[in-house]
Amino acid sequence: MASSVPEVRRLPAQRELRVASWLRAAGAAALAAAVAAAAFLAVDGVRREPAVAALAAVLVAALLLLLAQRSAGRALASENRRLTAAAATATRELRASRARIAASAERERRRIERDLHDGAQQRLVALRIELELAEELIGRDPSLAAERLRELEREVDEALEELRALAHGVYPPLLADRGLVEALRASAAHAALPVELDATGVGRYSPEIESAVYFCALEALQNACKHAAGADRVAIALDGRSGWELRASVTDDGARLPAGRLAPGAGITNMHDRLAAVGGRLEIGPAPGRGCAVRIRVPVPLPVRRPPGRPR
Amino acid sequence: MSGTVTVLAVDDQEVFRRTARRLLAAAPGFEQVGEAASGPEALRLAAELRPDLVLLDVRMPGMDGIETARRLARSGVGATVVLISLGELPDPVSLRSVGAAGCLRKQDLSVRALDRAWAAATGGAATDAPRGRSAPP
């Protein structure tokens, strides 16, 4: 599921292979020189022409070099085939992940449309109808009409609140304004279980990274609240100290995750894809002791070093 | 046709069912006899309550309003079906093909619009209850 790219890990093999083929060639040359020397020594008593011995030695060396090169060529060709296959697999994985990201964006758009249709739009249409009813009522029963109008005011408030919540779901304003820690702290305050949030060295990152980590951590928190049997609390940890990687974990203290129970549902696939889109990865496993831990890692650009001595 | 038109309102949205209750309560000559939140519930209640008019939302999860209208027509309960929609209205051909008598945009629903839709659907037989307001020209 985590989209590792095999050919990147195997790059050193090419260099090793080249070194190996050179070593083989050098070995062959040394062997040839040894053969030539031995031949020269063996025929010492016979008094052969040194030029003939030298020629024989050069011929043997050339033959051995040729053989070494051919075997190295074959090894290289096989390695190339393996790398090509690995690249094809990686490309397939990447395409599948991209298709899933596109599909999930599409699903998200449809969800927003449905939420707007079922929520604010329905309320506004209902208000439109009821305002007309209230208008008719004014002539007949002004005090009842006034009461109805007050009700409608409350309904306007509800419609506004629904729109606000929907906009918040699309992109939480707190995340844009104050960053990951504050946004997660605010969301955690409304969770069904008590949440302990611990953040170290977390700065501001690009909106894509911040929203990917925010929504995945939130999804993990909601999963823990919903599914973790016997959990009393959830711990969220954010760690950006390394400077090149942002780590987040959501850990509950519920029942230990039985092996194989975690069938990846749509929520988890979404998390994987959302993180993969920013080069991150997700691991879900048992937490130390008890419970379940969701670990998120996202590479972040190294902080820009400012010239020393210049205040920001 | 007696003076009062009995109505079954069908919508999956609670917000809208509440508005339909208020609208029908305020509409002289109409009386709401039931409400349903889904197509299957509408079919069951229509068979049980035998309403004169079914106000039927087009967009519902599962069995939508179009399919519900088709099944209502086939079930022979004999109710006049008026489809209501928040979005685009179904075209007249598909309206006729599912046996619906008319359609209305949700945002246009009012006592007068209800009255006009009923009159149009039943060939001009408007309710004979006294109107709260004069009808527009």
Side-chain angles (χ1 to χ4, degrees):
Chain A
M1 174 69 51
S3 39
S4 57
V5 185
E7 80 261 51
V8 173
R9 275 207 309 270
R10 288 185 189 134
L11 266 181
Q14 287 268 18
R15 204 185 52 206
E16 281 159 23
L17 206 73
R18 226 173 9 244
V19 169
S21 83
W22 278 111
L23 280 177
R24 240 178 301 184
L31 189 68
V35 167
F40 191 73
L41 285 175
V43 297
D44 194 35
V46 190
R47 296 284 316 149
R48 278 249 184 99
E49 282 295 319
V52 175
L55 187 67
V58 166
L59 278 175
V60 170
L63 190 70
L64 285 172
L65 266 172
L66 196 73
L67 284 174
Q69 219 167 16
R70 280 186 59 181
S71 107
R74 272 199 297 276
L76 203 63
S78 122
E79 178 64 10
N80 269 344
R81 276 195 299 277
R82 199 183 58 73
L83 280 175
T84 310
T89 308
T91 310
R92 263 199 309 279
E93 271 176 26
L94 208 62
R95 267 202 207 115
S97 157
R98 244 192 232 155
R100 281 200 305 272
I101 292 168
S104 109
E106 191 53 41
R107 267 201 305 280
E108 189 66 6
R109 272 197 292 276
R110 277 204 297 271
R111 184 189 65 78
I112 293 168
E113 191 274 337
R114 207 170 39 241
D115 283 358
L116 278 172
H117 175 275
D118 292 353
Q121 223 178 337
Q122 295 281 349
R123 284 190 186 280
L124 287 175
V125 165
L127 276 168
R128 165 83 185 71
I129 297 166
E130 297 203 25
L131 275 172
E132 200 171 319
L133 291 176
E135 184 192 337
E136 286 189 33
L137 204 56
I138 287 174
R140 282 188 282 132
D141 190 342
S143 74
L144 185 61
E147 191 187 311
R148 182 60 58 83
L149 283 175
R150 277 192 295 277
E151 270 176 55
L152 295 183
E153 281 161 20
R154 280 197 296 279
E155 280 168 32
V156 171
D157 289 341
E158 280 171 30
L160 282 174
E161 172 57 26
E162 215 165 274
L163 273 177
R164 194 204 57 78
L166 183 64
H168 185 276
V170 174
Y171 203 93
L174 204 56
L175 183 59
D177 297 343
R178 309 284 297 278
L180 261 173
V181 181
E182 289 309 308
L184 276 175
R185 203 186 295 286
S187 300
H190 301 118
L193 289 174
V195 179
E196 210 170 85
L197 191 132
D198 179 51
T200 349
V202 179
R204 293 303 309 263
Y205 310 96
S206 70
E208 302 83 61
I209 290 177
E210 288 189 336
S211 72
V213 174
Y214 173 81
F215 283 107
C216 289
L218 210 59
E219 173 86 23
L221 173 61
Q222 281 159 1
N223 283 346
C225 292
K226 244 192 284 178
H227 303 304
D232 297 319
R233 47 176 287 281
V234 178
I236 299 180
L238 292 165
D239 184 350
R241 280 172 300 178
S242 77
W244 56 273
E245 185 182 65
L246 176 62
R247 293 179 180 205
S249 67
V250 179
T251 314
D252 65 67
D253 64 346
R256 222 181 155 74
L257 213 62
R261 208 210 70 183
L262 194 82
I268 290 172
T269 306
N270 264 351
M271 287 162 84
H272 272 292
D273 288 343
R274 208 151 181 171
L275 288 170
V278 290
R281 47 196 303 153
L282 178 76
E283 273 169 41
I284 301 173
R290 59 196 305 246
C292 169
V294 173
R295 297 182 185 86
I296 294 164
R297 305 169 83 160
V298 177
V300 293
L302 287 169
V304 182
R305 295 222 179 279
R306 287 166 197 287
R310 271 172 57 190
R312 286 192 59 179
Chain B
M1 182 68 55
S2 71
T4 304
V5 179
T6 53
V7 185
L8 171 66
V10 187
D11 199 304
D12 60 309
Q13 298 294 319
E14 160 57 25
V15 172
F16 201 80
R17 290 200 301 276
R18 190 179 60 199
T19 298
R21 282 198 293 275
R22 288 183 181 165
L23 174 74
L24 290 164
F30 291 90
E31 187 200 348
Q32 183 167 15
V33 290
E35 64 179 39
S38 69
E41 197 185 356
L43 293 175
R44 194 169 52 74
L45 285 179
E48 187 187 315
L49 303 168
R50 300 276 164 166
D52 300 319
L53 172 66
V54 179
L55 282 179
L56 184 56
D57 183 30
V58 169
R59 182 168 161 172
M60 290 189 292
M63 191 192 297
D64 67 3
I66 305 285
E67 180 57 27
T68 308
R70 188 179 288 128
R71 293 194 189 197
L72 274 173
R74 241 188 264 147
S75 72
V77 292
T80 298
V81 173
V82 171
L83 285 163
I84 45 174
S85 170
L86 192 56
E88 303 227 328
L89 292 175
D91 62 284
V93 177
S94 55
L95 267 182
R96 269 196 302 279
S97 77
V98 299
C103 61
L104 268 176
R105 294 200 313 160
K106 256 187 194 178
Q107 50 269 51
D108 295 337
L109 262 181
S110 65
V111 173
R112 273 166 294 152
L114 189 66
D115 214 35
R116 275 202 301 274
W118 173 251
T122 55
T127 56
D128 51 12
R131 297 266 73 86
R133 276 163 77 119
S134 59

